[in-house]
């Protein structure tokens, strides 16, 4: 059974930092591209970042480039997202997903809420 469990979200002031984690099980983590995606209130899910199986390739949406860093630990089947200089527009539920099908709830975890506000 595939499981993805995100954690690390919270309430932070603008300019603050958070580190999200996604512990996975039930599939060969080291062979999959992994994604972070987010969904803001009233908006569709959008991809935030992605990483190749052995971390050689990483991608970020323009709005988070230079502020977010994706990484993975294949030995522990865990995905990370380091977020700094957070902005109110980063407020969303953040999901990790196996592969690019992050819009499908079956392919992602339950999410972790990130709220950036004074």
């Amino acid at each position: 059974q595939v499981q993805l469990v995100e954690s690390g979200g919270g309430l932070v002031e603008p300019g603050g930092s958070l580190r999200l984690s996604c512990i996975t099980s039930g599939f060969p983590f080291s062979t999959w591209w992994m994604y972070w995606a987010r969904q803001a209130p009233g908006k569709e899910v959008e991809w935030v970042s992605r990483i190749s199986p052995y971390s050689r390739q990483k991608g970020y949406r323009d709005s988070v480039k230079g502020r977010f860093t994706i990484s993975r630990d294949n030995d522990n089947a865990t995905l990370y997202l380091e977020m700094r200089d957070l902005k109110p527009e980063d407020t969303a539920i953040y999901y990790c997903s196996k592969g690019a099908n992050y819009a499908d709830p079956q392919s992602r975890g339950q999410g972790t809420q990130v709220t950036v506000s004074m």
Side-chain angles (χ1 to χ4, degrees):
Q1 181 182 357
V2 174
Q3 289 192 317
L4 305 101
V5 181
E6 302 93 337
S7 63
L11 173 63
V12 63
E13 293 184 352
S17 300
L18 286 172
R19 188 191 197 207
L20 307 184
S21 300
C22 174
I23 298 174
T24 76
S25 62
F27 67 100
F29 179 82
S30 65
T31 68
W32 281 83
W33 278 78
M34 294 296 296
Y35 283 68
W36 284 101
R38 67 187 181 187
Q39 186 169 28
K43 296 188 177 181
E44 294 187 351
V45 177
E46 62 183 18
W47 81 280
V48 174
S49 184
R50 60 190 174 207
I51 187 169
S52 61
Y54 290 95
S55 304
R56 292 191 182 97
Q57 298 176 60
K58 300 178 183 180
Y60 302 92
R61 70 180 302 107
D62 286 346
S63 61
V64 308
K65 282 181 181 176
R67 300 189 297 120
F68 289 13
T69 302
I70 191 170
S71 62
R72 64 192 296 162
D73 178 350
N74 284 347
D75 290 338
N76 292 296
T78 301
L79 181 70
Y80 300 101
L81 187 67
E82 194 82 38
M83 307 186 295
R84 61 178 181 84
D85 191 22
L86 283 160
K87 305 176 185 300
E89 52 264 40
D90 295 317
T91 294
I93 299 173
Y94 283 70
Y95 302 97
C96 69
S97 74
K98 53 186 280 287
N101 202 20
Y102 45 82
D104 179 2
Q106 300 297 320
S107 295
R108 65 187 193 218
Q110 83 292 342
T112 186
Q113 176 71 50
V114 172
T115 303
V116 185
S117 178
M118 293 293 293

